[in-house]
Structure formats: C-alpha cells, structure tokens
C-alpha cells in the first residue's frame, strides 16, 4: 500500500494542506458526528451558507475548538457565538489572538508524519472501550501523555496491553481527517517502561490505520524530546511546528 507523503498542498490551495489545520479538517469531516458547529445566520444564497467558520468537539470528547482560518476575524466571531462569553477553549495552530479574547496560556507543538514506519499487528493488544475508561484515565493520570477525557475513546480505536489484568500501556486514534489519522495517547506505566510496549502499540495502531487507506501522523509537545526521538527512530518525520493557545472569550463585564 502506497503511503501519502506529498505534504505540499491538498490541491485546493497550493499554499495549504489538510494537516495544516487538522482539528478543523476532522470536525468538518470524519468527526462531524462529534462536533458542535457555529451558525452564521447568513442564508446559503448570500455566501458561505448557514454553518459558521468555527467548531468544537462535544463535551467530554476532546478539549479543542477549531477555526476554518485562524487569521479570519469572522471565524473568531463565529467561535464566540458558539461558546459564549467567559468560556475558555484550546485552539491550534494560532499565530495571533484577536481583540475580544484573552490569552491564558500557550505552548509549542510539533507534527510528525509516517514515511517509513514498519506497521504490524500486536497479538497481545486488546481493544479498549467505554467500560475501560476509568482504568484508562488512571493510566493517563500516571503518565500524562496529553489531553484525554471520558469520551475520547469515541474518536477512534484504542489498544492496550495488560499484565495480570492491569492496564500498563496504550495507544490509539484521535483526530481523523480525510486521508489521515492521528496516533495519540501513547503511554506506558512507569513501572513497565523499557520493554518496547509503546512502540509495539504504535505499530499496531498504524497497521489498522493503513489497512483502511489512511496515513498515520501524530503530535507531541515540542519539548518532549524523548518522545520525538522515539517517533523519528521508527519512521516518522517532523512536518511542522505549531503554536497551541488557551484563550478565553472576554465577557461583557470584563
């Protein structure tokens, strides 16, 4: 199966690629059933249509919102309409936060894509579901792989490895957009690191992604050099850096 490695553009605009705004592509594509979408109030015949240029994941799924174009003031207006005043949201990528929003925190992340990963099933891995969420959240709390909420398992397939019945490692699918699926929540209990469990799970999750014709990609904090080195060593390459912001819509009395 050939891998999708042309990262220059998606055909619609030679300066953009679907991965450049991955959360938006997921929310308006394969994850539309998990989305809350703004409305513009503009009749379809007059321009953009009734759906606005902002969206977010439903409560408990994933703590991110997205804008069709983070440089477009109207998209930020649509986001304010969607979330209401005095609400904090996370967005990526964002270069500049406009008036009417308060920056509460920011960080730098990296995006890596699969170009040479050896993907293969992991016979010892088991599929995780809603009944496993309490144990998943416990592992996440011990390892801090990134945001994971009580409904995140609805975003895709999650695999885990158990020892004597206890969940000790996991990885799964988070963002899914046309042609691409993100591998996320890669973590191993501190008492069981050094055994290659995370790598086996990444290969297994990637195998299923490729089987349906998608290409794996992933995100990591830019300062998580240990994880980045691991991903690069098994066949991922750095595609881009992006700024992640946590912003609050300024209320009428602020």
């Amino acid at each position: 199966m050939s891998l999708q490695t042309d990262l220059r553009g998606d055909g619609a605009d030679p300066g953009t690629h679907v991965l450049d705004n991955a959360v938006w592509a997921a929310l308006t594509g394969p994850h539309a059933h998990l989305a809350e979408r703004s409305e513009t109030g503009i009749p379809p015949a007059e321009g953009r249509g009734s759906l606005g240029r902002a969206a977010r994941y439903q409560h408990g799924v994933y703590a991110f919102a997205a804008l069709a174009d983070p440089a477009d003031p109207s998209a930020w207006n649509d986001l304010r309409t969607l979330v209401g005043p005095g609400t904090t949201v996370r967005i990526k990528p964002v270069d500049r936060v406009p008036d009417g929003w308060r920056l509460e925190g920011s960080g730098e992340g990296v995006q890596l894509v699969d170009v040479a990963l050896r993907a293969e099933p992991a016979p010892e891995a088991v599929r995780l579901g809603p009944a496993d969420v309490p144990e998943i959240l416990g592992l996440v709390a011990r390892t801090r792989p990134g945001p994971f909420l009580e409904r995140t398992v609805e975003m895709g397939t999650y695999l885990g490895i158990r020892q004597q019945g206890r969940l000790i490692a996991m990885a799964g699918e988070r963002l899914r957009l046309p042609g691409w699926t993100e591998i996320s929540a890669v973590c191993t209990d501190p008492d069981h690191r050094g055994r290659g469990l995370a790598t086996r799970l990444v290969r297994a999750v990637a195998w299923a992604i490729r089987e349906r014709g998608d290409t794996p990609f992933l995100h990591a904090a830019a300062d998580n050099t240990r994880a980045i080195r691991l991903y690069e060593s098994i066949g991922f390459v750095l595609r881009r850096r992006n700024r992640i912001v946590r912003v609050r819509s300024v209320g009428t009395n602020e």
Side-chain angles (χ1 to χ4, degrees):
M1 182 179 297
S2 63
L3 299 183
Q4 183 171 344
T5 56
D6 183 357
L7 307 181
R8 294 169 296 176
D10 60 8
D13 181 341
T16 65
H17 188 279
V18 67
L19 287 174
D20 291 344
N21 197 353
V23 181
W24 176 257
L27 284 167
T28 56
H31 278 172
H33 64 289
L34 297 173
E36 295 178 354
R37 186 84 179 268
S38 64
E39 296 183 3
T40 66
I42 301 174
E46 295 182 26
R48 297 180 310 204
S50 60
L51 288 178
R53 294 170 63 77
R56 66 175 174 180
Y57 277 94
Q58 296 167 7
H59 179 72
V61 176
Y62 185 40
F64 270 83
L67 306 168
D69 179 359
D72 180 4
S74 67
W76 287 91
N77 291 338
D78 287 348
L79 181 61
R80 173 183 287 275
T81 299
L82 175 64
V83 305
T87 302
T88 299
V89 295
R90 291 177 173 84
I91 310 173
K92 61 181 176 183
V94 173
D95 293 323
R96 179 182 176 276
V97 177
D99 293 341
W101 294 83
R102 177 182 300 157
L103 179 64
E104 297 201 332
S106 66
E108 186 178 18
V110 295
Q111 183 183 78
L112 301 101
V113 297
D114 164 27
V115 296
L117 176 69
R118 188 183 83 246
E120 59 190 7
E124 72 273 39
V126 296
R127 182 162 182 170
L128 304 174
D132 301 297
V133 166
E135 200 170 3
I136 290 172
L137 294 178
L139 180 60
V140 167
R142 296 194 301 277
T143 58
R144 302 179 67 83
F148 200 102
L149 304 174
E150 60 270 16
R151 293 181 58 200
T152 301
V153 291
E154 298 177 29
M155 299 180 76
T157 299
Y158 283 83
L159 301 179
I161 293 176
R162 295 183 178 277
Q163 182 170 294
Q164 296 179 344
R166 183 170 181 259
L167 183 65
I168 61 171
M170 74 171 191
E173 302 171 357
R174 189 166 63 185
L175 297 177
R176 185 175 178 188
L177 40 150
W180 300 84
T181 301
E182 179 191 22
I183 298 177
S184 184
V186 181
C187 57
T188 303
D189 187 284
D191 293 337
H192 297 275
R193 288 175 181 165
R195 297 166 50 188
L197 301 180
T199 299
R200 295 210 295 274
L201 286 170
V202 168
R203 295 189 194 281
V205 173
W207 182 83
I209 291 171
R210 286 195 193 159
E211 281 294 295
R212 64 169 180 261
D214 284 0
T215 300
F217 73 104
L218 50 80
H219 291 107
D223 60 359
N224 191 352
T225 55
R226 181 175 179 271
I228 293 169
R229 283 198 300 267
L230 168 64
Y231 297 139
E232 290 178 331
S233 73
I234 62 175
F236 287 87
V237 297
L238 177 67
R239 177 178 182 268
R240 65 171 293 167
R241 296 177 178 269
N242 55 66
R243 184 179 180 227
I244 305 161
V245 299
R246 189 174 73 254
V247 293
R248 178 181 174 87
S249 53
V250 178
T252 55
N253 297 324
E254 296 183 58

